[in-house]
Amino acid sequence: MKNKIKKPLLADREIMTEAERELLIRDLTTVAEEYFEPDGKAHLDITRTESGLSVCLIFSARRIKKLWRPQN
C-alpha cells in the first residue's frame, strides 16, 4: 500500500530541488557540448504547459561543431 501512495507523488512534482536542477544542467550540457562549443554557463527554463512541461537548456555557443561519421 505504501508504494501505491508514493508513486503518484513522485510522478507529478511541481518543483525540482536546486541539486536536481544542477545535475540536469550538467547532464544536458555534456550532451550539448558534443554538438556546440559553449560560451558561458547554461541555465534551465522549466515552464508548465497545457500538456505538461516545456524544458529548455539555454546557453550561448561560439560555433556548431563539425560532426564526423564513424568509419565502418
Side-chain angles (χ1 to χ4, degrees):
M1 183 76 166
K2 199 174 193 179
N3 286 341
K4 289 182 181 179
I5 293 171
K6 273 188 170 181
K7 282 186 180 180
L9 294 176
L10 293 175
D12 192 21
R13 297 185 310 163
E14 289 297 319
I15 60 170
M16 293 178 81
T17 66
E18 193 59 36
E20 291 170 329
R21 285 180 78 86
E22 290 301 318
L23 180 61
L24 180 57
I25 290 169
R26 189 184 74 201
D27 288 348
L28 293 176
T29 299
T30 299
V31 173
E33 287 173 347
E34 295 289 322
Y35 299 91
F36 301 95
E37 186 178 305
D39 184 22
K41 186 172 177 163
H43 70 274
L44 194 62
D45 179 42
I46 302 174
T47 306
R48 171 77 53 193
T49 65
E50 284 184 16
S51 60
L53 297 168
S54 170
V55 181
C56 300
L57 179 68
I58 302 168
F59 61 95
S60 295
R62 284 187 277 282
R63 66 182 183 93
I64 299 172
K65 291 182 176 179
K66 184 169 182 158
L67 299 177
W68 300 95
R69 289 187 177 197
Q71 299 295 320
N72 291 334

